[in-house]
Amino acid sequence: MKKLGFAIYDLYNFFFSLKMNPLRHIPNEFTQFILMFYLSVMWTVVFTLWAGHTIYFGIGSVGGHLMVITAFFLTALTFKDAEKNGHLWVKRVPVPSKDKNKCVWDLEKEG
């Protein structure tokens, strides 16, 4: 039973820990976060639609299963590309500038 618990914990960390999953090869933390966010939204939508298909069309719903399989392959392709070309993801997704939103409070002018 203890081995099963550790196996589930390791599997969870593989998918959701940015220190262990293949997105760790992307050097920018913001890009890692955005990719994990988009993957989580995709999986939320897929499981919601899959549950709806199961309720309305029955367990053997082809559409629901195709959505889950497609999401699985999209996740696998994202992880594989991040592992192979992680350094290029920073060039693909621009990082917002911190200087643009910088606020300086000058007490001499405002006080």
Side-chain angles (χ1 to χ4, degrees):
M1 190 67 175
K2 195 172 186 180
K3 286 183 181 181
L4 178 65
F6 281 123
I8 292 171
Y9 177 75
D10 289 340
L11 186 65
Y12 172 83
N13 275 335
F14 176 75
F15 284 107
F16 298 112
S17 173
L18 289 175
K19 294 179 181 177
M20 292 183 69
N21 73 14
L23 295 180
R24 72 181 182 276
H25 297 288
I26 300 172
N28 189 340
E29 292 176 2
F30 178 73
T31 307
Q32 290 175 352
F33 169 75
I34 291 297
L35 286 172
M36 284 297 289
F37 174 74
Y38 287 148
L39 287 173
S40 69
V41 169
M42 177 192 67
W43 278 104
T44 302
V45 169
V46 164
F47 279 122
T48 302
L49 292 174
W50 182 56
H53 271 268
T54 303
I55 289 170
Y56 291 112
F57 301 115
I59 296 265
S61 166
V62 174
H65 285 85
L66 285 176
M67 285 186 290
V68 172
I69 290 170
T70 303
F72 173 79
F73 281 112
L74 283 174
T75 303
L77 288 172
T78 302
F79 280 3
K80 188 169 181 88
D81 190 51
E83 192 170 8
K84 184 178 172 185
N85 300 319
H87 61 285
L88 297 176
W89 280 83
V90 178
K91 295 177 184 174
R92 293 182 197 166
V93 180
V95 180
S97 174
K98 291 182 181 178
D99 295 333
K100 182 179 176 184
N101 297 330
K102 189 175 182 181
C103 178
V104 178
W105 187 16
D106 189 6
L107 290 175
E108 298 298 324
K109 292 181 181 176
E110 296 182 29

